[in-house]
Amino acid sequence: MKKGVMRPGHVQIRVLDLEEALKHYVELLGLIEMDRDEQGRVYLKGWTEVDKFSVVLREADQPGMDFMGFKCLDEASVDQLEKDLLAFGCEVETLPAEELKGCGRRIRFKAPSGHDFELYASKEQTGKWGLSNRNPEAWPRGLKGIKATRFDHCLLYGIDLDRTLELFRDVLGFDLAEQVVAPDGKRVAQFLTASMKAHDVAFIDHPEPGRFHHASFFLETWEDVLRAADLISMTDTSLDIGPTRHGLTHGKTIYFFDPAGNRNEVFCGGDYHYPDHEPVTWDADELGKAIFYHDRQLNERFLTALT
Amino acid sequence: MKKGVMRPGHVQIRVLDLEEALKHYVELLGLIEMDRDEQGRVYLKGWTEVDKFSVVLREADQPGMDFMGFKCLDEASVDQLEKDLLAFGCEVETLPAEELKGCGRRIRFKAPSGHDFELYASKEQTGKWGLSNRNPEAWPRGLKGIKATRFDHCLLYGIDLDRTLELFRDVLGFDLAEQVVAPDGKRVAQFLTASMKAHDVAFIDHPEPGRFHHASFFLETWEDVLRAADLISMTDTSLDIGPTRHGLTHGKTIYFFDPAGNRNEVFCGGDYHYPDHEPVTWDADELGKAIFYHDRQLNERFLTALT
Amino acid sequence: MKKGVMRPGHVQIRVLDLEEALKHYVELLGLIEMDRDEQGRVYLKGWTEVDKFSVVLREADQPGMDFMGFKCLDEASVDQLEKDLLAFGCEVETLPAEELKGCGRRIRFKAPSGHDFELYASKEQTGKWGLSNRNPEAWPRGLKGIKATRFDHCLLYGIDLDRTLELFRDVLGFDLAEQVVAPDGKRVAQFLTASMKAHDVAFIDHPEPGRFHHASFFLETWEDVLRAADLISMTDTSLDIGPTRHGLTHGKTIYFFDPAGNRNEVFCGGDYHYPDHEPVTWDADELGKAIFYHDRQLNERFLTALT
Amino acid sequence: MKKGVMRPGHVQIRVLDLEEALKHYVELLGLIEMDRDEQGRVYLKGWTEVDKFSVVLREADQPGMDFMGFKCLDEASVDQLEKDLLAFGCEVETLPAEELKGCGRRIRFKAPSGHDFELYASKEQTGKWGLSNRNPEAWPRGLKGIKATRFDHCLLYGIDLDRTLELFRDVLGFDLAEQVVAPDGKRVAQFLTASMKAHDVAFIDHPEPGRFHHASFFLETWEDVLRAADLISMTDTSLDIGPTRHGLTHGKTIYFFDPAGNRNEVFCGGDYHYPDHEPVTWDADELGKAIFYHDRQLNERFLTALT
C-alpha cells in the first residue's frame, strides 16, 4: 500500500442472461445480492466483505469484464494518483458518485494491457454479511452454495506487460510478487499485489488487448474447494479444471465457467508477500507446472477460453 | 464376513526394476519394508496394518498383478471355502506355509475374470508399525512420503463379470456394493465388499482376462490427498488424474503410476456398506461422472492403461 | 458379524421437553425427522442411514436411554440369538412389529451392565436421505446444523463388565477392540464392535447399573468437528469438552449436552478393527490420556454427568 | 503500512536451558536453526520466512521476552520513525548493525505498556528454507514437528493501553483491528496490525508492565493444529488449551508452554483487516467467548501464567 491503493474493490462483469447469472453467482458461488440499479445492474458481495458490494453484473451481448476497481485509503490518495496517472500518460475519466450505487466518485483509466481500471476511496460500508461488528460469531448462518468469502483478484490477458508493470508498480504502488519469464528474458506473466496477498491482479501476455481470463474468489480451506467441486458437478456447471494446486502462488484452486462463459476461480491458501520480498520467478518452460502444479501441463482451454 | 473372508490381505505386484520400485513404494507411497525373501521379493505394509505385510513386489519382465489374497477368520473357514470353490468349479492350488515369509498356507484359484486370488488365515502379526498395542499414540513418527495407511483394494479388468460375481457373492460371501449397468441391463462394473468398506475388490468388464487396473491405498483425509498430489509432482512421478472425487463410492482420490507402469491409487473417505444395503447403481451413460465425479468424463488412460 | 449382528440400529432417548429436544437433535445436530407415533415419540435418522430411523426421542420425567437396538442380518439370526440369550441366562421379551413404526419384531434383554438392548432384523428402508440409489450425488443439499451422518455407538456406565463382555462376545459375536485395565488386572472399560468400527457399544465400570454416558454420531472430517464446535457455541449449547482427540480409538471428537442433560458426541476418524486384531489396551493410570488425548486429564464431568 | 512498518520481524525470548529450548523450538515447533552468536544466542526461523531469522533464544535466569522487532520498508522510514518516536516522548536507543547477526542497525524504544520494541530495515535474506525462488515447489521436505511456517505476532500484558495505542497507531501507523471494551468504556485488550493480518501485536490490560503472554506462529490448516496437538501430547509438552477457536480474530489455535514456561501459540486462519475497516469490538462480559470461542470461559492460566 505504498501509494494508498488498498485492494481490489469491485469488478463489473458482463453476462448474457441476468437471471441465469444470478443463479450462478448467488445460488452456486454464494455471493449475496446487495442491490440493483436503474440500469438493471445487480450488486453482489462475499460475506466477509465490509463494503457494500464487490461484483457488479451487467447484462450485455458479449461476456467479459467491463472494469476492475481498486479501493484507496482516502480521497487525497485518489487525487494524487489521478495526477500520477496523467503524468504517466493515461487518459483519466471521472465517474460521479452514485454512478455505482453506494460508491463515491471513481476515476477510470485504461492500462497498457488494454483493460479498464478504476480507483475510488468511498463506498458504503454495510459490514460483514450476517455478522455484527460487536461480539461477532465465527461465520454467518444461511450462506449458500460455495460460500465464497470475498472477491479476491482478476487474471487478465493482454498486451504490453512491461508498460503495464511500470504503471502498477511505479504509479499505483503495487509489487511484482511472481512472474513467468521466457528463455529470452521476456516476462510473459506478472502477478501484482498491493498488500500481503500473492496477487491482487495478474496479467498474461497475449496478442489481443483487454481480454478477461477469470475473476477469483477466496475460500477458507481445501475442504471448501472440494465442496465447490461437488457443487459444480451437482449443478451441471461447466468445469475447467480442478481441484488442484497452482505452482504460481501455490494456491489450491478450481476453475469453472459462468453461464455466459466467463471463467471463475475459487481458491484457498496461497503464499504471502511483503514489499521486501524478491519476486518469485517461474521459467516459461515450466509453465505447465507453474499453472497446474499437479498435472504439470496446461489444458488448451486455459490459453484460449477468454471473454 | 458371511463366509469367513475378512479383508484384502495382500497383493503381489510385478515391477521391472526393484530398486526403482522401492523408491516409489517406500519413499513416495510411504509403505514400510518388512522383509525380503530368497526369490528377491520385497514385503511391504502400511503403518496401520497389524499383519506383517500386505504388498509383495516381484521383479519381472512385465508389470501387472500376480495375485491378490484375502485373509480369512480361521483355518476352518479356509477348509470350507476350498470345498466350496471346488464345488463352484474352480481349480484350487495349495501353497505351503512360508512360501510367502511369515504367511501360513494359502489356497489359490483363478476367478472367471481371469485373475488369481488366494485365501489364507494365518500371517505373522507384527502389530501396527511404530506403535505399541499398549497406550498407543495417535500415529507413529518417522513415516515417509504419502504415508499410506493400508492396502485397501484392487480394481481389475477382465471377462465374465456375472460368473465372477457369483463366485465372490455366493462362494466367498461378498456383497455387491455398487455396480454400473449398461442400457441393455448388462453389469459392466461391480464393486464388492466383505465388510463395511465400499469395496474390497472391483471388476470392470473388459475383453481381455486378468488385467490389472490399480492397487489402492487408504489415506485419512482430503489434506492427505493434496499432500500426495504435491509429492507426486515434486518427485516427477507420472500422474494419471486427481485430486478428485469418484462418483462410485464417493471416495476422494488420486491416481498415479509406479515406474513399471502399474497404476496406484491413494484415496480417503468413501461410503460404507452393510449387508442389508441395496447395491448402488450407476447407469453406464453416466460412467464419466461415476468414475470422475468432478470432470464428468473419462480420460482415455482410465480405459486403456492396464498392466 | 460372527453371529449375524450387523450394527447399532437405534437408540431410544428420554428427553424432558420434546420441542426443545427436536430443536437440538434436528436443527443443531442435523438429524432428519422421519416420523412420529401415537405415543408421541419422534423418529430421527442421520442422512447416510438407509433404514428409516436410528434415534427415537421419548418425552419423560427423567433423561437417559430406554434401550439400544442392534440390527441383525436376518430373522433366522434373531431366532438363534434369542435361544442363545436364554441359554446365557437372559430374560428375553418380544416386542411386536410396528411397536416402533416401520420396525419388525424386536427381542429385548437386559445386559449384566444393567442396560436394555434389542435385536431385530427388519426395518423399513427409506434409503439415504436426499439421495437416489441410482447415480447418487456425493451428498444431499438442505442438511442442517452439524449434519450428523449416522448414529454410531453408545457409551454406557454400569456394573459387571466381565459378564457383559461374555454376553457380547460369546453370544452376540462382538469383538473386544479396546480396553482399559486397572493395575490389579480388572478391566474398567471395554469397547466392543460387531464390524470394522472401533466401537459399536462401549462400557465403563460404574457402581450403578444402567447409566447412560453418551450417544455418538459420525462426522466425515475434522473440519466438520470444528463446524460442530462453532455451532454449539453459536446456539449457546452446553459444551462438555472438545474439539479434541481420544486416545482410545483415536477418534476426533466433541462432547456436548442436549437440553435434558443427555450427553451427545460427534466425532470423525477412529481406528478400524478386524476380528483377528488383538485388543488395544490402555493402562488405567493413563486413563486421562486414553479419554482425552491432548489434555491428558479427565474433567470431572466425564465421570459424573450421567443420565 | 502507513508509516513504513511492514511486519513483526523478530522476537528475542529468554529461556532457562538452551538445549531444552532448542529441542522444543526446533524438534517440536519445527523452527529451523539458522545461526548462533558469541553471546550464545541461537537464531531460528519458520520455513516460509525470507529473512534470515525471526526468533532469537537467549539463555537467562528468568523466562520472558527481551524485545520484539518490526521490519520497516527502508532505512529512511526508520530515520523518520526515530524522529517521530522522540517527538512522542520515547527514549530511543540505537543498536549497531550485526549486534544481531545478519541484521542491520536497530532502534529500540520502550512502549508505555512496558515492553521493548525495535525497528529495523535491513536483514540478510536467505530465502524460504528449503525452496528455491525459481520454480519453487509447494513446500520443502525435511520439516520437523509442528512445521510452524512463520513467527506471526506476540500478545503482551502491560499497563497504559491508551497511550500504547496512540504510539502504535499515530506514530507507527498500525490499525486497531479488534478490541475488548469494559462496561465503563475502558479498552482492556487491543489487537493491532500493520498489514492485512488480524494482529501483528496485541496488548491486554494488566497492572504490571512488560509481561509476556505468548509468541505465536502460523500454521496453514486446522489439520495442522490437530497434528500440533498430537505432537504436544506425544512429547509430554505442557498444554495450556486447545485445539479451539478464538472469538477475537476467529483464528483456530492451540496454546502450550516451552520448557522455561513461556507460552507459545500455533494457529491458522483468522480474519483479515484493511485500514478502512472499523475495529471489531468485544464486550468484556463476553471475554470468555472472545478468548475461547468454544469453551466460552477463560481458564485461570490465561490470565495469570505470564513470563
Side-chain angles (χ1 to χ4, degrees):
Chain A
M1 207 191 60
K2 293 169 188 165
K3 302 289 178 75
V5 179
M6 288 194 296
R7 66 170 173 271
H10 55 236
V11 60
Q12 184 165 307
I13 297 171
R14 293 188 301 275
V15 297
L16 303 183
D17 180 305
L18 193 57
E19 289 317 305
E20 273 190 25
L22 284 171
K23 205 168 157 190
H24 177 88
Y25 284 95
V26 173
E27 301 300 321
L28 175 61
L29 189 52
L31 299 181
I32 296 131
E33 182 176 332
M34 297 299 294
D35 209 345
R36 301 195 179 204
D37 68 18
E38 292 180 1
Q39 295 181 40
R41 294 182 298 188
V42 182
Y43 297 67
L44 310 172
K45 67 183 280 184
W47 70 267
T48 69
E49 295 179 293
V50 167
D51 286 350
K52 179 177 172 176
F53 66 86
S54 61
V55 172
V56 181
L57 300 181
R58 181 172 74 85
E59 198 171 83
D61 291 336
Q62 295 291 333
M65 181 184 88
D66 281 336
F67 54 81
M68 181 184 180
F70 295 98
K71 192 174 190 190
C72 300
L73 192 56
D74 50 30
E75 295 290 342
S77 299
V78 177
D79 290 338
Q80 182 60 49
L81 289 163
E82 181 170 21
K83 287 175 198 159
D84 297 344
L85 285 165
L86 291 166
F88 184 80
C90 288
E91 289 181 34
V92 179
E93 176 189 7
T94 298
L95 293 109
E98 295 302 318
E99 196 278 333
L100 283 171
K101 282 177 76 170
C103 187
R105 64 117 182 199
R106 296 126 62 202
I107 63 170
R108 188 183 292 173
F109 60 97
K110 195 177 292 291
S113 63
H115 301 89
D116 287 323
F117 292 100
E118 299 185 346
L119 304 176
Y120 67 94
S122 305
K123 191 181 280 183
E124 184 184 348
Q125 294 200 317
T126 53
K128 292 183 187 180
W129 183 83
L131 292 183
S132 169
N133 208 33
R134 197 148 194 124
N135 309 321
E137 301 290 357
W139 37 269
R141 304 180 73 169
L143 293 170
K144 293 180 177 176
I146 292 172
K147 304 182 187 183
T149 69
R150 68 168 183 243
F151 166 53
D152 189 87
H153 67 268
C154 288
L155 177 62
L156 306 171
Y157 275 47
I159 59 172
D160 208 349
L161 262 56
D162 283 346
R163 186 80 179 142
T164 302
L165 174 59
E166 282 175 46
L167 171 65
F168 273 85
R169 187 184 55 203
D170 302 341
V171 178
L172 302 177
F174 284 65
D175 291 315
L176 177 63
E178 305 213 14
Q179 59 184 341
V180 180
V181 175
D184 63 2
K186 183 182 179 186
R187 200 182 324 95
V188 295
Q190 54 199 20
F191 285 54
L192 304 169
T193 180
S195 67
M196 279 187 72
K197 289 163 52 189
H199 42 8
D200 285 326
V201 64
F203 296 92
I204 288 188
D205 182 54
H206 186 72
E208 297 168 288
R211 303 307 300 275
F212 180 51
H213 188 271
H214 71 260
S216 183
F217 300 88
F218 194 71
L219 302 182
E220 282 188 84
T221 69
W222 177 234
E223 296 280 340
D224 291 337
V225 175
L226 174 66
R227 281 189 74 259
D230 290 342
L231 286 163
I232 287 163
S233 196
M234 288 178 196
T235 55
D236 278 324
T237 299
S238 176
L239 177 71
D240 185 5
I241 195 166
T244 188
R245 186 197 282 277
H246 292 305
L248 282 151
T249 80
H250 297 121
K252 293 151 259 178
T253 181
I254 187 164
Y255 283 156
F256 52 107
F257 294 98
D258 78 8
N262 296 298
R263 190 186 278 95
N264 295 162
E265 177 185 45
V266 289
F267 80 108
C268 73
D271 298 329
Y272 62 91
H273 181 86
Y274 280 106
D276 60 330
H277 289 186
E278 283 298 305
V280 168
T281 300
W282 287 81
D283 292 308
D285 56 11
E286 293 277 340
L287 188 61
K289 190 170 178 180
I291 303 295
F292 300 125
Y293 186 66
H294 300 143
D295 284 336
R296 287 163 274 160
Q297 55 189 9
L298 294 182
N299 62 5
E300 180 64 16
R301 277 193 303 272
F302 184 83
L303 294 172
T304 57
L306 306 172
T307 56
Chain B
M1 207 191 59
K2 293 169 188 163
K3 301 290 178 75
V5 179
M6 287 195 297
R7 67 170 173 273
H10 55 237
V11 60
Q12 183 166 306
I13 297 171
R14 293 188 301 274
V15 297
L16 302 183
D17 179 304
L18 193 57
E19 288 319 303
E20 273 189 25
L22 284 171
K23 205 168 156 188
H24 177 88
Y25 285 94
V26 173
E27 301 300 320
L28 175 61
L29 188 52
L31 299 181
I32 297 130
E33 182 177 332
M34 298 299 293
D35 209 345
R36 300 193 180 206
D37 68 19
E38 292 180 2
Q39 296 180 40
R41 294 182 298 188
V42 182
Y43 297 68
L44 310 171
K45 68 184 280 183
W47 70 267
T48 69
E49 295 180 292
V50 168
D51 286 350
K52 179 177 172 176
F53 65 87
S54 61
V55 173
V56 181
L57 300 180
R58 181 171 75 85
E59 198 171 83
D61 291 337
Q62 295 291 333
M65 181 184 87
D66 281 337
F67 54 80
M68 180 184 179
F70 295 97
K71 193 174 191 190
C72 299
L73 191 57
D74 49 30
E75 295 291 342
S77 300
V78 177
D79 290 338
Q80 181 61 48
L81 289 162
E82 182 170 20
K83 288 176 198 160
D84 298 343
L85 285 164
L86 291 166
F88 184 80
C90 288
E91 290 181 34
V92 179
E93 176 190 7
T94 298
L95 293 108
E98 294 303 318
E99 195 280 332
L100 284 170
K101 283 177 76 170
C103 188
R105 62 116 182 201
R106 297 125 62 203
I107 64 170
R108 189 182 291 174
F109 60 95
K110 196 177 289 291
S113 64
H115 301 89
D116 287 322
F117 293 99
E118 300 184 345
L119 304 176
Y120 66 95
S122 305
K123 192 182 280 182
E124 185 185 346
Q125 294 201 317
T126 53
K128 293 184 186 178
W129 183 84
L131 292 182
S132 169
N133 207 35
R134 198 151 192 121
N135 309 320
E137 300 291 357
W139 35 270
R141 302 181 74 169
L143 293 170
K144 293 181 177 176
I146 291 172
K147 304 182 186 182
T149 68
R150 67 169 183 241
F151 166 53
D152 189 88
H153 67 269
C154 287
L155 176 62
L156 305 171
Y157 275 48
I159 59 172
D160 207 350
L161 261 58
D162 282 347
R163 186 80 178 141
T164 302
L165 174 59
E166 282 175 47
L167 169 66
F168 273 84
R169 187 183 56 203
D170 301 340
V171 178
L172 301 177
F174 284 65
D175 291 314
L176 177 64
E178 305 215 13
Q179 59 184 341
V180 180
V181 175
D184 63 2
K186 182 183 178 184
R187 200 181 323 93
V188 296
Q190 55 199 20
F191 285 56
L192 303 169
T193 180
S195 67
M196 278 186 73
K197 289 163 52 190
H199 43 6
D200 285 325
V201 64
F203 296 91
I204 288 188
D205 182 54
H206 187 72
E208 297 168 288
R211 302 305 301 276
F212 180 51
H213 188 270
H214 71 261
S216 183
F217 300 88
F218 194 70
L219 302 182
E220 282 189 84
T221 70
W222 176 234
E223 296 281 339
D224 291 336
V225 175
L226 175 66
R227 281 187 73 260
D230 291 341
L231 286 163
I232 287 164
S233 195
M234 288 178 195
T235 55
D236 277 325
T237 299
S238 175
L239 177 72
D240 185 5
I241 195 167
T244 189
R245 186 198 281 278
H246 291 304
L248 283 151
T249 79
H250 297 121
K252 293 151 259 179
T253 181
I254 187 164
Y255 284 156
F256 52 107
F257 294 97
D258 78 8
N262 296 298
R263 190 186 279 95
N264 294 161
E265 177 185 45
V266 290
F267 81 107
C268 73
D271 299 328
Y272 62 91
H273 181 87
Y274 280 105
D276 60 330
H277 289 186
E278 285 296 306
V280 168
T281 299
W282 287 82
D283 292 308
D285 56 12
E286 293 277 340
L287 187 62
K289 189 169 178 180
I291 303 294
F292 300 125
Y293 185 66
H294 300 144
D295 284 336
R296 287 162 275 162
Q297 54 189 10
L298 294 183
N299 63 3
E300 180 64 15
R301 277 193 303 272
F302 184 84
L303 294 173
T304 57
L306 305 173
T307 56
Chain C
M1 205 190 60
K2 294 170 189 164
K3 301 290 177 76
V5 179
M6 288 194 296
R7 66 169 174 272
H10 54 236
V11 60
Q12 183 165 306
I13 297 171
R14 293 188 301 275
V15 297
L16 303 183
D17 179 304
L18 192 58
E19 288 317 305
E20 273 189 24
L22 284 172
K23 204 169 157 188
H24 176 88
Y25 285 95
V26 173
E27 301 300 321
L28 176 60
L29 188 53
L31 299 180
I32 296 130
E33 182 177 332
M34 297 298 293
D35 210 344
R36 300 196 180 203
D37 68 19
E38 293 181 0
Q39 296 180 41
R41 294 182 299 189
V42 182
Y43 297 67
L44 309 172
K45 69 183 280 183
W47 70 267
T48 68
E49 295 179 293
V50 168
D51 286 349
K52 179 176 172 177
F53 66 87
S54 60
V55 172
V56 181
L57 300 180
R58 181 171 74 85
E59 197 171 84
D61 291 337
Q62 295 291 334
M65 180 185 89
D66 280 338
F67 54 82
M68 180 183 180
F70 295 97
K71 193 173 190 189
C72 300
L73 191 56
D74 50 30
E75 296 291 342
S77 299
V78 177
D79 290 338
Q80 181 61 47
L81 289 162
E82 180 169 22
K83 287 175 201 162
D84 297 343
L85 284 164
L86 291 166
F88 184 80
C90 287
E91 291 181 34
V92 179
E93 176 189 7
T94 298
L95 293 108
E98 294 302 318
E99 196 279 333
L100 283 171
K101 283 177 77 170
C103 188
R105 63 120 183 198
R106 297 126 61 204
I107 63 169
R108 188 182 293 172
F109 60 96
K110 195 178 288 296
S113 63
H115 301 90
D116 287 323
F117 293 99
E118 300 184 346
L119 304 176
Y120 67 95
S122 305
K123 191 182 281 182
E124 184 185 347
Q125 293 200 319
T126 54
K128 292 184 188 180
W129 183 83
L131 292 183
S132 169
N133 208 36
R134 198 151 192 120
N135 308 321
E137 302 290 358
W139 37 269
R141 303 184 72 169
L143 293 171
K144 293 181 177 177
I146 292 172
K147 304 182 186 183
T149 68
R150 68 168 184 243
F151 165 53
D152 190 88
H153 67 268
C154 288
L155 176 61
L156 306 171
Y157 276 47
I159 59 172
D160 206 348
L161 260 58
D162 283 347
R163 187 78 180 142
T164 302
L165 174 58
E166 282 176 46
L167 170 65
F168 273 84
R169 187 184 56 202
D170 301 340
V171 178
L172 301 176
F174 284 64
D175 291 315
L176 177 64
E178 305 215 14
Q179 59 185 342
V180 180
V181 175
D184 63 3
K186 183 182 179 183
R187 199 182 325 94
V188 296
Q190 54 199 18
F191 285 55
L192 303 169
T193 180
S195 67
M196 278 187 72
K197 290 163 51 190
H199 43 6
D200 285 324
V201 63
F203 296 92
I204 289 189
D205 182 55
H206 187 72
E208 296 168 288
R211 303 305 302 275
F212 180 50
H213 189 270
H214 71 260
S216 183
F217 300 88
F218 194 70
L219 302 182
E220 282 188 83
T221 70
W222 177 233
E223 296 281 339
D224 290 336
V225 175
L226 175 66
R227 280 188 75 258
D230 290 342
L231 286 163
I232 287 164
S233 196
M234 288 178 195
T235 54
D236 278 324
T237 299
S238 176
L239 177 71
D240 185 4
I241 195 167
T244 189
R245 187 196 280 278
H246 291 304
L248 282 151
T249 79
H250 297 121
K252 293 152 260 179
T253 180
I254 187 165
Y255 284 157
F256 52 107
F257 295 98
D258 79 8
N262 295 297
R263 190 187 278 95
N264 294 162
E265 177 185 47
V266 289
F267 81 107
C268 74
D271 299 327
Y272 62 91
H273 181 87
Y274 279 105
D276 60 330
H277 289 187
E278 284 297 304
V280 168
T281 300
W282 286 81
D283 292 306
D285 57 11
E286 293 277 340
L287 187 61
K289 190 170 179 180
I291 304 294
F292 299 125
Y293 185 67
H294 299 144
D295 284 337
R296 288 162 273 161
Q297 55 188 10
L298 295 181
N299 63 4
E300 180 64 15
R301 277 192 304 272
F302 184 84
L303 294 172
T304 57
L306 305 173
T307 57
Chain D
M1 209 191 58
K2 294 170 188 163
K3 302 289 177 76
V5 179
M6 288 195 296
R7 66 169 173 272
H10 55 236
V11 59
Q12 183 165 306
I13 297 171
R14 294 188 300 275
V15 297
L16 302 183
D17 180 305
L18 193 56
E19 288 317 304
E20 274 189 25
L22 284 172
K23 205 167 157 189
H24 177 89
Y25 284 95
V26 173
E27 301 299 321
L28 175 61
L29 188 52
L31 299 181
I32 297 130
E33 183 176 332
M34 297 299 293
D35 210 345
R36 300 196 180 203
D37 68 19
E38 292 181 1
Q39 296 180 41
R41 293 182 299 188
V42 182
Y43 297 67
L44 309 172
K45 68 182 279 185
W47 71 267
T48 69
E49 295 180 292
V50 168
D51 286 349
K52 179 177 172 176
F53 65 87
S54 61
V55 173
V56 182
L57 299 180
R58 181 172 74 86
E59 197 171 84
D61 291 337
Q62 295 292 333
M65 180 184 90
D66 280 337
F67 54 81
M68 179 183 180
F70 295 97
K71 192 174 191 189
C72 300
L73 192 55
D74 49 31
E75 295 291 342
S77 299
V78 176
D79 290 338
Q80 182 60 48
L81 288 163
E82 180 170 22
K83 287 176 199 160
D84 297 343
L85 284 166
L86 291 166
F88 185 80
C90 288
E91 289 181 34
V92 179
E93 176 189 7
T94 298
L95 292 108
E98 294 302 319
E99 196 279 334
L100 283 171
K101 282 177 78 171
C103 188
R105 63 118 181 198
R106 297 125 63 202
I107 63 170
R108 188 183 293 173
F109 60 96
K110 194 177 290 294
S113 63
H115 302 89
D116 287 323
F117 292 99
E118 300 184 346
L119 304 176
Y120 67 95
S122 305
K123 192 182 281 183
E124 185 185 347
Q125 294 200 317
T126 53
K128 292 183 187 181
W129 183 84
L131 292 182
S132 169
N133 208 35
R134 198 150 192 120
N135 309 321
E137 301 290 357
W139 37 270
R141 302 182 74 169
L143 294 170
K144 292 181 178 177
I146 292 172
K147 304 182 186 183
T149 68
R150 67 167 184 243
F151 166 53
D152 189 88
H153 66 268
C154 287
L155 175 61
L156 305 171
Y157 275 47
I159 59 172
D160 207 348
L161 260 58
D162 282 347
R163 186 79 179 142
T164 302
L165 174 59
E166 281 175 47
L167 170 64
F168 273 84
R169 186 184 56 203
D170 301 339
V171 178
L172 302 176
F174 284 64
D175 291 314
L176 176 64
E178 305 215 13
Q179 60 184 341
V180 180
V181 175
D184 63 3
K186 183 183 178 184
R187 199 181 326 93
V188 296
Q190 55 199 20
F191 285 54
L192 304 169
T193 180
S195 67
M196 279 186 72
K197 289 162 52 187
H199 43 6
D200 285 325
V201 63
F203 296 92
I204 288 189
D205 182 55
H206 187 72
E208 296 168 288
R211 303 306 301 276
F212 180 51
H213 188 269
H214 71 261
S216 182
F217 301 87
F218 195 69
L219 302 183
E220 282 188 82
T221 70
W222 176 234
E223 295 282 339
D224 290 336
V225 175
L226 175 66
R227 280 189 74 258
D230 290 343
L231 285 162
I232 287 163
S233 195
M234 288 177 195
T235 55
D236 278 325
T237 299
S238 176
L239 177 72
D240 185 5
I241 195 167
T244 188
R245 187 196 281 277
H246 291 304
L248 282 151
T249 80
H250 297 120
K252 292 151 260 178
T253 181
I254 187 165
Y255 283 157
F256 52 107
F257 295 98
D258 79 8
N262 296 299
R263 188 187 279 95
N264 294 162
E265 177 184 47
V266 290
F267 81 108
C268 74
D271 299 328
Y272 62 91
H273 181 87
Y274 279 106
D276 61 330
H277 289 186
E278 284 296 305
V280 168
T281 300
W282 286 82
D283 293 306
D285 55 12
E286 293 277 340
L287 188 61
K289 189 169 178 180
I291 303 295
F292 300 125
Y293 185 67
H294 300 143
D295 284 337
R296 287 162 274 162
Q297 55 188 10
L298 294 183
N299 63 4
E300 180 62 16
R301 277 193 304 271
F302 184 83
L303 294 172
T304 57
L306 305 173
T307 56

